[in-house]
Amino acid sequence: MNKKLGILGGMGPLATVEFMLKIISQTPAHNDQEHIPMVVSSVPQIPDRTAFIMGHGEDPYPELKHSFDQLEQSGAECIVIPCNTAHYWYPQLSATSHVHTISIIDSVVQETQIRKHKTVGLLATTATMKAKMYQQKLSQYDIDVIETNDMQQQAVMQGIYEVKAGNIEKGKALMLPVFKDMLSQGAEAVILGCTEIPVALAEQNLQSPHHCLDSLEILAKYCVEWSYETEPAAIAS
């Protein structure tokens, strides 16, 4: 207990705060002293991850690396990134890390296996979809992925940016029909694979958690387990 968790956040700020709330809510603490100490680097000015992966915009890696190093220097014993798209750079960051790291992508894939899903839907940024970060790992376990069509993906991206702008209800209105369509296509659950999506679809996650693979909630779960020294080795780097 009381191992210090480092959070490389700010992508976006609301998702970072929501992630911290999920950690606190899942921690079996009875008083202040039993909660997990966290040090947070929330830098919203990190360049847009999707823009760069899609072929335009500034490379965010230098800023990600700078924040990562600052967290190490602050005494973090484990560093996590509550941003799915930023995991495009996770192999580089974790390869040079001097501390433990936990991947949000690997955590969700692990949870999908635990739940014994064979078909899942995927809601994520266009960059995450293009980079195939989830699809490649899920295919290793013969898990089929239902992806968005072009029109649906446009709605998802618009919804993500609405949440980043604080317009949560607008974000929900754009993404909820896509979520429901994936279930109607046969998805046993839908990966909420961008950390703004669980914010917009919080009601759906509460009402039917078996249909949601909330990447924020799952990463928070494994962070708590790491703190209590029961984090599965499969998701550690």
Side-chain angles (χ1 to χ4, degrees):
M1 269 297 291
N2 294 331
K3 294 184 291 184
K4 186 183 291 185
L5 178 69
I7 300 173
L8 204 173
M11 304 171 283
L14 186 58
T16 300
V17 173
E18 184 69 19
F19 175 63
M20 294 176 70
L21 287 171
K22 289 177 182 290
I23 288 177
I24 292 166
S25 68
Q26 294 189 59
T27 301
H30 300 93
N31 51 50
D32 289 349
Q33 291 73 29
E34 291 183 359
H35 278 281
I36 299 169
M38 292 181 269
V39 56
V40 182
S41 174
S42 182
V43 184
Q45 289 71 34
I46 292 173
D48 190 292
R49 284 66 59 198
T50 293
F52 180 79
I53 294 171
M54 297 305 293
H56 53 88
E58 184 182 351
D59 186 354
Y61 178 74
E63 289 295 327
L64 288 168
K65 177 62 174 168
H66 178 69
S67 294
F68 196 99
D69 290 344
Q70 283 187 321
L71 289 170
E72 277 198 359
Q73 292 163 13
S74 74
E77 297 167 79
C78 175
I79 298 176
V80 295
I81 310 170
C83 172
N84 288 266
T85 310
H87 277 65
Y88 182 81
W89 294 272
Y90 177 82
Q92 290 173 267
L93 293 167
S94 60
T96 59
S97 174
H98 299 98
V99 299
H100 187 72
T101 61
I102 301 173
S103 161
I104 196 171
I105 306 289
D106 290 348
S107 297
V108 172
V109 172
Q110 175 103 357
E111 193 68 17
T112 305
Q113 290 179 266
I114 290 171
R115 298 191 192 185
K116 302 185 185 304
H117 291 318
K118 295 299 181 183
T119 303
V120 296
L122 176 60
L123 297 179
T125 66
T126 304
T128 298
M129 300 293 280
K130 177 185 176 182
K132 303 287 185 182
M133 287 185 274
Y134 274 108
Q135 296 94 317
Q136 289 176 356
K137 288 185 178 291
L138 289 165
S139 68
Q140 296 173 13
Y141 302 100
D142 297 321
I143 299 171
D144 294 327
V145 180
I146 297 173
E147 299 185 28
T148 50
N149 59 38
D150 290 344
M151 187 175 297
Q152 289 175 328
Q153 189 58 35
Q154 288 178 14
V156 170
M157 280 304 298
Q158 186 180 345
I160 288 168
Y161 284 116
E162 290 290 354
V163 174
K164 287 180 181 291
N167 303 319
I168 296 173
E169 285 303 314
K170 286 186 179 179
K172 175 183 176 180
L174 287 159
M175 291 188 277
L176 183 56
V178 186
F179 172 84
K180 290 181 175 179
D181 184 64
M182 288 186 161
L183 293 177
S184 71
Q185 289 184 58
E188 298 163 79
V190 177
I191 295 173
L192 310 184
C194 169
T195 49
E196 272 71 41
I197 297 175
V199 176
L201 300 184
E203 184 178 353
Q204 283 60 48
N205 197 15
L206 184 64
Q207 292 176 348
S208 55
H210 57 289
H211 283 149
C212 298
L213 286 155
D214 177 349
S215 58
L216 273 183
E217 189 171 277
I218 292 167
L219 181 60
K221 167 189 169 181
Y222 286 120
C223 287
V224 172
E225 291 187 356
W226 163 80
S227 179
Y228 282 82
E229 299 183 340
T230 57
E231 179 264 321
I235 65 171
S237 72

